[in-house]
Amino acid sequence: MSLFRSRPMKHYNLVVPRESAWSVMDRLGYLDQLHFVDYDATIPMINRPFANYVKRCDDSLYKITQVETFITKFNKKVIRCTNVPLLLEQFTRNLQSRDKAPHTFFDEIEQDIEQKRISLMDLINNFENLEEKLQNYNEQLQVLKSCQRFIFQGFRESADQIEDRSQPGRMKLNNIIGVIDKDDEIRFRRLIFRVTKGNIWLDIFDLDPNDALQKKLDNNVLRAIFVIVYPGIEEQSLIKLKLGRIVDTFSKTKFDLPKATGEYQKKILDIENVIMETRNLIALSRQQIESQIEQLIIKSVTECSLIEELRLYVVREKYLYQNLNFLRMQGSIFSGHFWLPEGEFDNVEQALRNLNSKQDFIPTGQITEVVLPKHMKPPTYFKLNIFTGVFQEIVNTYGIPRYQEVNPALFAIITFPFIFGVMFADIAHGFLMFLCGMYVIIFHKTEAPDSLFKMLAPGRYLIALMGFFAFYNGFIYNDFLSIPLNLFGSCYDLVEKVVDGKTEEKWEGPREGCVYPFGLDPVWLASSTALTFINSYKMKLSVIIGVAHMLVGILMKGVNSLFFKNYIDFFCEFIPQFLFMICAFGWMDFMIIFKWLTSFTPQDAPGLIPTMIDQTLSPLAEPKAPLFEDPIQQRNWSFMLLCIAFVCVPWMLWPKVFLLSKKSKPYDKVDDIDEERLQQDQHKLFGKSEIDLDENQEINRLLIKHHSGHSVQSSANHEEHDFSELFVHQIIETIEFVLGGISNTASYLRLWALSLAHGQLAEVFYNMFLAGNIGTGGVVAGFMTAIFYYTFAMMTFGVLMVMDSMECFLHALRLHWVEFQNKFFKADGYLFVNFSYQKALTESAQQEQ
Amino acid sequence: MDLCYFAVDDGYAEAIIRGLRAGFLNEAQYTQMKSCTSIPELKSFLEETDYQNCLQADQPQIATSLLRQRLKKKLADEFDYIEAQATGTLSKFLFHLRCRFMIDNVVNMIEGLKNKIDIEVLLSNIDPLGWFPEIKNIKVLEGDDYANLYRDVLIDTPIGVYFMKFLDESIENMHENRTMNDIQNLFKEMKPEYIRTSLKKMWLEDFFRYSEENLPQTSKEGLVSLLKFEADFRTIQVIYNSIGNRDLNTVARIQTTRKQLCPTIGTLYPDCERQYLAAAQLEALREAVKGTENYRDLLKDAPDPLKREEFNVSTRTLDDIMYDEECRRYALAFDGQGSYAVFYAYLKLKEQEIRNIVWLAEMISRRLAKNHPGWKKIIIPFSHLRK
């Protein structure tokens, strides 16, 4: 019964010498069964013995991410790991094939990664430099070509004038040509204008963006050529200096135009040549990079890329060190505690012994069982599978079960889909949902990874079960898309009668001895009082289901208190609570069923609600419309049950408070004994280390203080305080239970309400879209029906199958979390986190995918 | 009323800010930082906090200036993100906040250029929060020709307005028959710090007016009270620092300078203006501001500026006292709801955190003893709320 209660845990102490700490932890990582306890969670990670290693692993991971970004930049894909066990095997093989100590393998890997990163980065830097250079040359070429087009004439003139300064009256011109970012153009224009006050000629035009080389590898920035022509050719003129400064702040690329025509052509040719060369170089270096990347991503024996293998090794290493950090360093040994499920000890021991025989030169760790310190609660561990996992998840979302307490997930496996089914009851809808669940169950492996069905995969069994129960309850309510099905032949007959000259059709029956075998007789649903009948029927069913559900919850409280040997709770809480529930609402259920099973004439039929009210308000009066044949008997019964229920209230309230406050007195004594025992245990364990002992004593002292409060100082005062606290607490508990009994029962009426809403919606869709159009006939009606059928199907899918199922799910969740679980579920446990490579690597690999 | 529809436009941005609240370092983390013995240790500690990603690519022995730059980059990234989510009034408001950093950047650039520091170094040191495209064009500045700098470069920028006002005021305050030369001289003598104070004063006044006129009611209330305090803080600082300042020895001069530097908003202006402008001693300053809130108490512990020579690291200076008070107010404002003051307070508190970290890094890199009073000189954001 591993799902009923969490697995029993044992607390062990692990002592390993420093030299073999790595190997021991490594071995334990394969076992998947240990939960390491952090010896002091307040110590920041940075102050722990292996913080440095964790940091190194992080660095390596960061480097790997860098390499991976390079890889994606070149449109290559890393093959992610899907077969973790195979990979782990490969790791072990790799480690065993080396003759050095296994923990040094990480050093090699670290260097390997660094070297790979650097070599790749060098190549890529080189590549990018080349591209930049190419871009630069290309810009130069474009500048030359476009400038040739329109200012060449003027330039030659100005060049001539340098030699001939004697000619007065002609403006002497100089120029600056360069390339800037297109985005800067307006600012550039404005600045130039403001500085020169418009005394220059400036033209800016775009570089051809369609030029293949214009596109840079990563950023596709538009560039533009500017040409400034300004007066004055002196080297030191103010305007030249100013312009120079401005141009410097905008771009680093300025070009000088050759002065003579011949040079011009030659330069263009030169640059074209250089561009050709650079292109070849780029192609070459691209090839080089790609071949390097190819090596990194090639699929190896472990069905994933080399780089992924490296990454997961580092992840593994980091995980190991993180867990090693939970141990405490004492000189040359590490000691720490871990939890282990009962019965697994032999496996662990065996594993360590194997390690010992393989490497006989180092001592391996020692494991001893430790008596559980009082303040420590063991973790909650269930062995789950894909089927139970989802139900456990529903419970865990509310709260992790306390160690070894009854796990509500076990009941949820049936009650959750069933309660959902009561609300979602419809043969067709339920069946569709069941089909959907079955589809995912069968095909979830072959679905595409981004398929919607894949998303449903974790809850596939839940969906199938919910569908099944909705289907089943649909039969009970006899509801098929709001149409009652006459599957077994109704017990009523349609009779034609002539009344006052008109023929009337009337249902007559039921036939003598005829019982509709399963679910509701369809004729009920066709009658004019269908809704009234159905409502009362569903309401009563909901209350019956609700009370049964809650009674199970209360019973589990009893089971829990017996299991934990908490007899005060058993006798002072469980029993009165159970009696109260039975006497108040059990009696109501009984009356409902009793009324169903007895036939009354319509006049005599007792109303259940008036009966309930009367028997509470005037318990001794004879019932007006008796349910039992003998009204006195009924009165006696109801009076007795009422009395029991009333007695239960103070029973819940008082005895527990008194017993507990009495019990709290001898606390100090108990703890003294405990302390002694604890100390003895610790002597055994930490015999050598005095410091440790002191610390433990400190903890014990604190604990005892905590338990006994400040009783030493003022015990009378303290007691009173304690008593009143207990009393207030118990009052709250009692009130909550009694009022909760009523309100929770009422809360189960949502089973009826949701089912009513579902049924009515289905009916509206059916009447609006289908029923009205089927009868018309003719070709037009055929078309109309096609269109309306489509609308009907979409509405049914969208509103009922998606939205309403969501709503029913939420209400089922609420009924479990609140109405059921508040009866017994403490939910203050914490999860068992096993130290498992398998888990760590799978998570990491999935995250990357 | 504006609370009802605050969340329509600004709810998301505010929610992000509330989320970022968790990123503030808490007191325990400060204690751990203080116990670090080396810069690499500090860095690896910071990598466990919210600052993880911004430091990962750097060497362990990170320089303090680079560290500051990285932290500021992170803040700027967060701010950019929030700004990208903001619409309408809020985005204008956030842009206004940026102007303060732009002023700092411009003045830093001017200062750097005057000291002939390489432009690349200067550009790498600018605060990313106050980056604007024209900043690199400041290189055009020649000598001390601020007028030209304004006309050529800054006129287009958001802070151009302040710069223009500053130039106008500087020239106005000169004697009647001024020449071009006088103006040149004036600028030559002007310290960049003076420019910074004046510009910031103008920004503050402008921002105050903007907040008063354009913001919804709740935001206005929150901000106006914060900004009033900031203005008063500035006033007190100016007066305090000018007490005993030898450069401003004549009474007339000290008054005009003070008048130019003190903001014309806040609770002290205009009621106490005459008194504080004339204050020649700390006592007189205390007397001048005694009528307002708890300023008297704040100033009570401030050391006498006339005995500046006696100050040492352990002295709790006026700035420390005021920062402490500011932090308290910002933390309170941060917890306010539906107000733009949250964004302002967030920025200020985050700045304080960066100052703290950089200060600690400085202390660590100088290997000062752990009982050195400097370790206590950090003001932890939100630590006031618990008292």
Side-chain angles (χ1 to χ4, degrees), chain A residues 187 190-191 194 245 249, chain B residues 134 137 142 151-152 156:
Chain A
R187 282 198 302 115
R190 278 192 188 165
L191 197 59
R194 282 200 298 261
R245 267 202 202 136
T249 60
Chain B
E134 285 88 354
N137 302 348
E142 290 167 55
R151 207 181 50 217
D152 290 348
D156 264 350

Side-chain angles (χ1 to χ4, degrees), chain B residues 193-370:
Chain B
E193 213 43 47
Y194 180 80
I195 306 177
R196 190 197 307 268
T197 321
S198 327
L199 286 179
K200 281 217 178 150
K201 170 205 142 192
M202 283 163 202
W203 169 79
L204 191 64
E205 286 170 1
D206 187 48
F207 186 49
F208 182 80
R209 235 156 276 137
Y210 168 82
S211 306
E212 230 177 10
E213 282 158 20
N214 299 350
L215 295 190
Q217 187 63 29
T218 323
S219 307
K220 192 169 88 186
E221 276 164 21
L223 265 169
V224 161
S225 76
L226 285 184
L227 292 179
K228 270 187 178 167
F229 176 74
E230 204 176 324
D232 294 343
F233 177 22
R234 227 158 251 288
T235 307
I236 293 173
Q237 228 180 357
V238 166
I239 307 294
Y240 183 86
N241 288 335
S242 61
I243 290 174
N245 190 329
R246 280 184 210 95
D247 295 345
L248 306 167
N249 35 19
T250 64
V251 176
R253 192 128 177 242
I254 205 168
Q255 293 241 8
T256 38
T257 316
R258 280 177 176 183
K259 201 173 164 67
Q260 204 186 352
L261 292 179
C262 291
T264 56
I265 50 170
T267 43
L268 294 177
Y269 181 87
D271 302 352
C272 320
E273 193 193 11
R274 210 140 49 89
Q275 286 170 35
Y276 67 66
L277 285 185
Q281 264 138 23
L282 182 60
E283 206 44 55
L285 178 60
R286 278 183 193 145
E287 197 59 30
V289 301
K290 71 173 179 187
T292 332
E293 288 190 62
N294 57 347
Y295 293 168
R296 195 190 165 83
D297 295 338
L298 288 178
L299 279 177
K300 202 166 64 191
D301 301 326
D304 197 333
L306 288 173
K307 298 177 192 150
R308 214 167 259 135
E309 288 77 21
E310 294 168 20
F311 286 12
N312 54 31
V313 245
S314 56
T315 317
R316 196 154 178 267
T317 61
L318 178 74
D319 285 359
D320 291 336
I321 296 169
M322 290 304 230
Y323 275 136
D324 201 44
E325 174 68 12
E326 261 192 328
C327 253
R328 189 180 70 83
R329 282 171 190 252
Y330 292 139
L332 282 176
F334 190 88
D335 284 357
Q337 295 287 326
S339 156
Y340 289 170
V342 173
F343 299 95
Y344 187 71
Y346 172 75
L347 208 54
K348 284 281 192 181
L349 289 170
K350 218 50 189 171
E351 269 187 281
Q352 179 62 38
E353 183 173 287
I354 292 171
R355 261 202 300 273
N356 287 342
I357 295 173
V358 171
W359 173 265
L360 286 177
E362 198 64 44
M363 299 287 288
I364 289 167
S365 64
R366 287 188 191 170
R367 304 190 178 284
L368 292 175
K370 292 289 168 196

Side-chain angles (χ1 to χ4, degrees), chain A residues 15 44 80 263 280 307 380 416 538 556 569 620 666 721 822:
Chain A
V15 181
R80 296 291 172 197
E263 273 179 56
N280 287 339
I307 188 87
T380 309
F416 191 91
K538 284 181 178 175
M556 286 312 118
D569 269 8
L620 291 174
H721 172 71
N822 77 0

